[in-house]
Amino acid sequence: MKYFILLLTLFSLETSANYLSHPDAAALIEELVQEHNFEREFVEKVLSNANKQQKIIESISSPAEFTLTWDRYKNIFIEEKRIANGKKFIQDNLETFKRVEEEYGVPKEVITAIIGVETRYGKIQGSYRVIDSLLTLGFDYPRRAKFFRSELVKFFLLTRENELNIEEVKGSYAGAMGFGQFISSSYRAYAIDYDGDGYADLFNSVDDAIGSVANYLYVHGWKRDGEIVTVTYPNNVRKIFKPNSSVSKFIPLSFIEGDNELFFIGDDNFIAITKYNISHFYAMAVYYLSEELKK
Ligand SMILES: [Ca+2]
């Protein structure tokens, strides 16, 4: 009988397990308490209220950038509604864009395209609790655990610095937040206050979001008046990419679009966009959308 009760107890622990009972919890608590001066009770409470979300593991295992064809990927982002709303976003924020283009040299259409691809101009900022995302991926997704555990520590720091409620902040399945979907380390490093209230708020301030995306691209090598891509032909690609070519930093790209194969050279500013998201499909979608927004 006693044995039976013990089994029942183990079973109920297993099904209601929170992250305080995870084998990796102790080391994280020590790190946050010893190195970053968090209250032990606070960290324990946060972990005990967080749970593994299987949906997060499933989503990160099949990102659209790597499972869809270019045609399908492009159709998600380059469509009428997103283009129309992007044009409106630009009109609504012309003064801010004027300032940001002067200061950072990043065109309004590119910043708008990134915010449009990421969150439909701030409308869909993510519905996962970031603490659940980062614990799920940092503790239970071995392939990227090191990266996400590091983001988890930075999320604790970010929420303390910005006086955000760590248990309420929402974001994508990968813990990306706000209009431009910044992860914690990027938020801390590149988010700027652009509406002058002394605080970088990427969740609510459109000005801060616009300035922060521009700052991110600027820091990652954006060149004022530079090219994103150059359209080319297969023969030119070969000519340009001969061995020992001095332009080897440029990325040769080919996309199957409908029945055609298109060839591009990704220039400095294409590379800057890939620092935002490493996927070439992503950078290409941002480029296409930005071109539509100019029309
Ligand atoms: Ca602000």
Side-chain angles (χ1 to χ4, degrees), residues 193-201 205 208:
D193 169 36
Y194 212 58
D195 61 12
D197 69 355
Y199 174 84
D201 180 359
S205 167
D208 289 1

Side-chain angles (χ1 to χ4, degrees), residues 9-173:
T9 312
L10 279 175
F11 182 72
S12 68
L13 272 178
E14 180 58 33
T15 50
S16 67
N18 60 60
Y19 271 115
L20 187 56
S21 55
H22 191 283
D24 293 344
L28 177 74
I29 294 167
E30 283 313 307
E31 183 179 338
L32 289 169
V33 170
Q34 302 296 336
E35 292 178 31
H36 302 293
N37 297 313
F38 281 92
E39 297 282 346
R40 183 176 301 273
E41 271 181 24
F42 168 75
V43 178
E44 288 178 352
K45 179 178 79 77
V46 172
L47 294 193
S48 69
N49 289 335
N51 289 289
K52 181 179 174 182
Q53 309 265 349
Q54 192 56 34
K55 255 173 75 184
I56 290 170
I57 307 270
E58 285 160 18
S59 295
I60 200 152
S61 305
S62 58
E65 290 93 329
F66 300 106
T67 53
L68 299 180
T69 62
W70 166 242
D71 277 328
R72 284 194 58 199
Y73 187 85
K74 183 185 164 205
N75 287 340
I76 292 172
F77 298 108
I78 316 302
E79 44 86 20
E80 263 176 53
K81 203 170 166 199
R82 207 180 299 250
I83 294 165
N85 288 338
K87 288 180 176 175
K88 182 170 183 302
F89 187 82
I90 289 173
Q91 286 308 314
D92 289 347
N93 297 287
L94 273 182
E95 286 299 311
T96 306
F97 279 123
K98 191 166 171 254
R99 195 153 55 98
V100 95
E101 285 183 343
E102 275 166 23
E103 284 181 43
Y104 294 93
V106 185
K108 53 187 175 299
E109 294 87 1
V110 172
I111 297 168
T112 301
I114 286 181
I115 295 175
V117 167
E118 293 289 348
T119 61
R120 286 190 177 273
Y121 315 105
K123 276 204 253 331
I124 302 167
Q125 297 189 11
S127 57
Y128 291 99
R129 290 199 324 149
V130 170
I131 190 70
D132 285 340
S133 298
L134 296 179
L135 278 163
T136 298
L137 298 172
F139 281 9
D140 288 316
Y141 188 60
R143 206 166 72 78
R144 306 278 310 277
K146 198 176 163 206
F147 170 78
F148 283 107
R149 192 190 177 288
S150 158
E151 287 300 317
L152 176 59
V153 171
K154 282 161 188 154
F155 182 58
F156 269 87
L157 297 172
L158 170 72
T159 50
R160 180 171 67 185
E161 289 157 359
N162 286 25
E163 296 178 5
L164 299 165
N165 185 330
I166 193 167
E167 302 203 55
E168 288 178 5
V169 176
K170 297 220 170 126
S172 75
Y173 64 78

Side-chain angles (χ1 to χ4, degrees), residues 105-107 110 217 220-229 249-250 266-275 283 286:
V106 185
V110 172
L217 292 174
H220 289 93
W222 186 272
K223 290 208 166 47
R224 187 184 292 268
D225 302 323
E227 299 290 336
I228 299 176
V229 299
K249 65 173 178 157
F250 295 123
D267 213 318
D268 287 312
N269 290 345
F270 185 91
I271 294 166
I273 297 170
T274 63
K275 305 293 182 192
V286 166

